Amino acid sequence: MARTDRDFTSISGQLEQWTTISQNPPLSELEALRLINDWQQGVIDIPDFYKAVVYMIVVFHRLKRNQEDDHIVDFLLKETDEFTEKPEAFQDLKNIKTYLNFYSDLEKLPLADWAIRETDFDPAKLKKIRELAHEIKGFLETTHLTKGENDDKPLPQISSQIIERLNQLSEMLKDTGNAIENKKTGLPVQQLNQQVKDIVERRSELSSLFPEAFKRDKQENPLKLLDELTGMKEIKQYIHQFYHYLKYQKERKELGFHMVDEPGLHMIISGNPGTGKTTIARLLAAIYHELGLLETNQVTEVNRSHLVGSYVGQSEENTVNYVRQAVGGILFIDEAYSLKRDGQSGNDYGQAVIDTLVSSMTSKEYADRFAVILAGYPEEMRQFLWANPGLRSRFPEPNHITLPDFKTGELLQIAEKTALNNDYFFTEKALHKFEGLIEKSRVDETFGNARTVRDLVLKAIFQKGAYKQHASEDNWLDHMRIDEEDLEELNESTEDQNPMERLDELIGLENVKQEVKKLSSFVRIQQQRKLQGLPTVPIQLHAVFSGNPGTGKTTVANIYSRILNECGLLKRGHLVVASRSDLVAGFVGQTSIKTKQKVREALGGVLFIDEAYSLYRGEKDFGKEAIDTLVDEMTKHNENLVVILAGYSREMEQFISSNPGLESRFKKYFHFPDYRSEDLMKITRAHLQDYHYILEEDAARYLNEQYQEHEMDGNARFAVNLVDEAVQFQALRIMEEQPENIEVDQRLTKEDFAQAWSTIRGKRP
């Protein structure tokens, strides 16, 4: 919702009170950008003074996250400078920008590790001196400060002293270099090293003088980085506790106490895709290193493809090599459960990796010198560990972390942070629309959480850059704004035609059309009642489509899925067609897996099971397992899956009534009657029209008579096949009549259809 004048009145006082950059401003960067967007779009009108304050809030946040030269910061400072009344923060931010840029450039000078020794050969000394002199010269030529800029404030004082000492060092380097070239002795090595050391100390002092918001530690506290992550409340609490526990045990050891049964550093991190498993592993590495439990904070990331070899002995060799590489840090194995595959043959060497890993974790050579973190999906990791007692014993229960899926609000925060890191922001309307895209993507456990959200943001950025007319350079905010239009192309609809229009265009099926429209109207009304906070009637979406082949069951199912998608009940609205062979396996235990896989494929859409009655062939048939699994999955994914069972009318009635679980879940029945002769004629003409063929009158009369006199096996399918066959006979006729001078003829004759009829029906005309 756009901000109103009344809304602005509530924050104007907060803007007036922000008078120092030592305090955080009253608005976040996103809030400030949206406020600027509102006045640029004419939604709100505010005085210039407040505009200047909001500009400075944006400058504050941009300098906080990016201390390099920033064109937008320069532009906003220039814009604010033109206002008659300026906020107190203006001059402070202008100054701090200058010194932040100065410090950023100063950090690039290779001073911290620079030193020469008396024992160095002259060529080595000369090379190091010339290289540093070149760097300093470039810095002094480009810096915006001079040693004359000095007053009673610490920042300019220290900066001026640094420039003065750099000039002195530059002269000393020049003189020393000349002395080396002229083979002189008594070089001022100690004086040079001391001068460099003095400048490094003053650079560090300069850094300490910046306001707290603009200080940037080279190695930030891992717990601080953890707390800055979105969501993960319980995980953050656990890692804080784990950190203090490890610190406490370290202090006990230093006092001489010992603990035999300590849990160790090895960890299991489970979670669905994009929940932050790798991020948490890197933070644990930083924590272990900070506490002195590991030599480095390095994480060696591997998966099955890195470890498992293709011949005997290669897997062991690969595993040992990566263990050696990880010594001092962490070995992170992603999707670790893939090392142990169900029913793996002797040619699968994943078990060799597990055995070698366990051996390395306990060996004298590597034990306690590295930590192992295994990561993967929760259920798969649980089964994997229970299948490997030796491995499970190395990862005690307290060292198991399960990362939850992000909530929608948290995913929106991640989206906004991703956009801002790339210098974009969502308008409020666009953010609301983006929420719908997240919900549409969140269909099953394969949803990528933060990873999917970042991908969606980058797609929106691509759409804006690829298809939208570029804004002028002066209108800087247009280059940052993501609005509703930029999200339009992310709605992946493969069909432009409205599903209701497609339904109306179908020939015949009047009773089916009426039932679908009635259900659609009911669903839409219940959705509106839900939005208004009114109680809703439970919606029964699962259906039985009964009728002979070719009566339009699959076509209507496809339209039905799209209608439910438009109503907001199905996130994808796609159709997955399955039969007995897609669900039933030939041996025990596999039918349930096949059925679940097909259900997973259909989540967010419609699972259409053709000839569904064939699933049940008696109590001992594997089809019964498919039915039981299907009923369980329908309950599990109640609001995320619609199942349509299709087949002959009588067989479907018997099938549904034979299973109480099915009978209680299928309340909607759609009967598809056979097509009448006039409907078959319409289907024939429509199919011909699609390919620009013309039906001659005598051919039309012939077809009409045939449709009236005979019962059609296949209904619409028969009519389509008949046209396809007639077209082929017409082509044969043309080639025989005009073998050398072929002329394309659009007319189909009675003879063409008579031959086609005879071929399909197996009768002579």
Side-chain angles (χ1 to χ4, degrees), residues 206-241:
L206 178 67
S207 174
S208 68
L209 294 173
F210 290 126
E212 198 63 34
F214 304 105
K215 290 180 180 178
R216 184 168 297 175
D217 297 330
K218 288 185 177 180
Q219 291 187 340
E220 293 190 71
N221 185 303
L223 292 182
K224 180 183 177 184
L225 293 173
L226 173 72
D227 291 337
E228 290 175 354
L229 295 177
T230 302
M232 303 184 184
K233 182 178 179 181
E234 293 181 359
I235 301 302
K236 291 175 181 177
Q237 183 179 0
Y238 168 78
I239 292 180
H240 272 276
Q241 293 170 348

Side-chain angles (χ1 to χ4, degrees), residues 104 124 197 240 242 269 274 344 400 434 597 601 616 698 762:
S104 180
K197 184 179 179 181
H240 272 276
F242 188 57
I269 304 178
Q344 64 185 24
H400 291 209
F434 194 84
Q597 286 175 342
E601 184 183 337
Y616 186 71
D698 60 340

Side-chain angles (χ1 to χ4, degrees), residues 373-414:
I373 294 181
L374 304 182
Y377 298 154
E379 181 59 26
E380 285 83 347
M381 287 301 297
R382 187 185 67 81
Q383 294 178 3
F384 169 63
L385 287 172
W386 277 105
N388 294 273
L391 193 61
R392 187 172 70 249
S393 65
R394 270 75 183 176
F395 296 89
E397 195 66 31
N399 287 25
H400 291 209
I401 296 176
T402 300
L403 302 180
D405 288 338
F406 288 104
K407 298 175 183 176
T408 300
E410 294 167 346
L411 291 171
L412 287 175
Q413 291 178 35
I414 292 170

Side-chain angles (χ1 to χ4, degrees), residues 248-267:
Y248 166 64
Q249 290 297 341
K250 179 188 175 187
E251 291 170 353
R252 288 182 80 246
K253 282 184 179 180
E254 291 171 352
L255 293 172
F257 295 100
H258 298 283
M259 186 171 175
V260 177
D261 299 316
E262 56 184 331
L265 304 181
H266 307 305
M267 189 76 67

Side-chain angles (χ1 to χ4, degrees), residues 174-390:
K174 181 180 177 182
D175 293 342
T176 305
N178 291 335
I180 292 174
E181 288 182 331
N182 293 321
K183 308 296 183 181
K184 293 183 179 180
T185 58
L187 300 176
V189 171
Q190 291 186 359
Q191 294 93 320
L192 280 174
N193 290 339
Q194 184 59 44
Q195 184 76 351
V196 170
K197 184 179 179 181
D198 182 56
I199 294 172
V200 170
E201 289 175 353
R202 291 182 183 276
R203 183 173 68 182
S204 177
E205 185 180 354
L206 178 67
S207 174
S208 68
L209 294 173
F210 290 126
E212 198 63 34
F214 304 105
K215 290 180 180 178
R216 184 168 297 175
D217 297 330
K218 288 185 177 180
Q219 291 187 340
E220 293 190 71
N221 185 303
L223 292 182
K224 180 183 177 184
L225 293 173
L226 173 72
D227 291 337
E228 290 175 354
L229 295 177
T230 302
M232 303 184 184
K233 182 178 179 181
E234 293 181 359
I235 301 302
K236 291 175 181 177
Q237 183 179 0
Y238 168 78
I239 292 180
H240 272 276
Q241 293 170 348
F242 188 57
Y243 172 85
H244 291 298
Y245 169 79
L246 292 174
K247 189 175 182 181
Y248 166 64
Q249 290 297 341
K250 179 188 175 187
E251 291 170 353
R252 288 182 80 246
K253 282 184 179 180
E254 291 171 352
L255 293 172
F257 295 100
H258 298 283
M259 186 171 175
V260 177
D261 299 316
E262 56 184 331
L265 304 181
H266 307 305
M267 189 76 67
I268 299 289
I269 304 178
S270 61
N272 288 326
T275 49
K277 297 186 289 294
T278 307
T279 301
I280 294 298
R282 290 169 182 165
L283 286 174
L284 285 172
I287 287 172
Y288 292 164
H289 176 58
E290 182 185 294
L291 294 174
L293 303 174
L294 288 177
E295 295 174 8
T296 74
N297 62 356
Q298 298 303 307
V299 178
T300 303
E301 300 178 25
V302 297
N303 55 36
R304 177 186 167 90
S305 65
H306 294 92
L307 302 173
V308 178
S310 55
Y311 55 83
V312 175
Q314 188 183 25
S315 297
E316 293 88 339
E317 182 183 348
N318 291 345
T319 305
V320 170
N321 286 338
Y322 279 110
V323 166
R324 286 174 182 156
Q325 187 176 326
V327 165
I330 284 179
L331 178 63
F332 178 83
I333 306 178
D334 200 13
E335 297 184 0
Y337 52 82
S338 64
L339 294 174
K340 181 74 173 179
R341 291 174 170 171
D342 291 335
Q344 64 185 24
S345 67
N347 293 328
D348 190 304
Y349 302 111
Q351 185 62 47
V353 172
I354 296 171
D355 295 341
T356 306
L357 184 64
V358 171
S359 175
S360 299
M361 293 166 67
T362 55
S363 69
K364 291 183 179 180
E365 186 177 1
Y366 300 116
D368 300 324
R369 295 186 61 199
F370 76 112
V372 176
I373 294 181
L374 304 182
Y377 298 154
E379 181 59 26
E380 285 83 347
M381 287 301 297
R382 187 185 67 81
Q383 294 178 3
F384 169 63
L385 287 172
W386 277 105
N388 294 273

Side-chain angles (χ1 to χ4, degrees), residues 578-580 609-616 627 644-648 651-652 655-656 662:
S579 61
R580 176 185 167 92
I609 304 176
D610 202 11
E611 298 183 2
Y613 50 81
S614 65
L615 290 175
Y616 186 71
I627 297 170
I644 295 178
L645 305 180
Y648 295 115
E651 285 85 344
M652 288 304 299
F655 173 60
I656 296 295
L662 292 176

